mmCIF file of all heavy atoms in Angstrom:
data_model
loop_
_atom_site.group_PDB
_atom_site.id
_atom_site.type_symbol
_atom_site.label_atom_id
_atom_site.label_comp_id
_atom_site.label_asym_id
_atom_site.label_seq_id
_atom_site.Cartn_x
_atom_site.Cartn_y
_atom_site.Cartn_z
ATOM 1 N N TRP A 45 -5.506 -12.729 -55.803
ATOM 2 C CA TRP A 45 -6.216 -11.674 -55.261
ATOM 3 C C TRP A 45 -7.395 -12.223 -54.363
ATOM 4 O O TRP A 45 -8.109 -13.138 -54.762
ATOM 5 C CB TRP A 45 -6.841 -10.756 -56.282
ATOM 6 C CG TRP A 45 -5.799 -9.946 -56.997
ATOM 7 C CD1 TRP A 45 -5.303 -10.165 -58.222
ATOM 8 C CD2 TRP A 45 -5.145 -8.769 -56.474
ATOM 9 N NE1 TRP A 45 -4.335 -9.194 -58.538
ATOM 10 C CE2 TRP A 45 -4.223 -8.338 -57.479
ATOM 11 C CE3 TRP A 45 -5.266 -8.010 -55.306
ATOM 12 C CZ2 TRP A 45 -3.461 -7.214 -57.326
ATOM 13 C CZ3 TRP A 45 -4.419 -6.916 -55.150
ATOM 14 C CH2 TRP A 45 -3.548 -6.530 -56.162
ATOM 15 N N GLY A 54 3.532 -9.750 -58.782
ATOM 16 C CA GLY A 54 3.848 -8.359 -58.386
ATOM 17 C C GLY A 54 4.803 -8.344 -57.246
ATOM 18 O O GLY A 54 5.668 -9.223 -57.075
ATOM 19 N N ILE A 68 6.014 4.307 -53.725
ATOM 20 C CA ILE A 68 4.939 3.839 -52.833
ATOM 21 C C ILE A 68 3.793 4.850 -52.743
ATOM 22 O O ILE A 68 4.050 6.084 -52.641
ATOM 23 C CB ILE A 68 5.424 3.505 -51.421
ATOM 24 C CG1 ILE A 68 6.480 2.460 -51.513
ATOM 25 C CG2 ILE A 68 4.309 3.103 -50.507
ATOM 26 C CD1 ILE A 68 6.043 1.131 -52.194
ATOM 27 N N GLU A 93 24.289 -1.524 -63.897
ATOM 28 C CA GLU A 93 25.294 -1.905 -62.934
ATOM 29 C C GLU A 93 25.764 -3.312 -63.163
ATOM 30 O O GLU A 93 26.983 -3.593 -63.047
ATOM 31 C CB GLU A 93 24.769 -1.713 -61.452
ATOM 32 C CG GLU A 93 25.825 -1.796 -60.467
ATOM 33 C CD GLU A 93 25.400 -1.345 -59.027
ATOM 34 O OE1 GLU A 93 24.938 -0.192 -58.944
ATOM 35 O OE2 GLU A 93 25.474 -2.151 -58.145
ATOM 36 N N GLU A 109 43.732 -15.185 -68.111
ATOM 37 C CA GLU A 109 44.032 -16.119 -69.267
ATOM 38 C C GLU A 109 45.405 -15.846 -69.886
ATOM 39 O O GLU A 109 46.207 -16.761 -70.175
ATOM 40 C CB GLU A 109 42.947 -16.072 -70.306
ATOM 41 C CG GLU A 109 41.633 -16.732 -69.935
ATOM 42 C CD GLU A 109 40.525 -16.546 -70.904
ATOM 43 O OE1 GLU A 109 40.596 -15.597 -71.802
ATOM 44 O OE2 GLU A 109 39.591 -17.374 -70.879
#
Side-chain angles (χ1 to χ4, degrees):
W45 288 103
I68 302 303
E93 191 167 303
E109 286 174 341

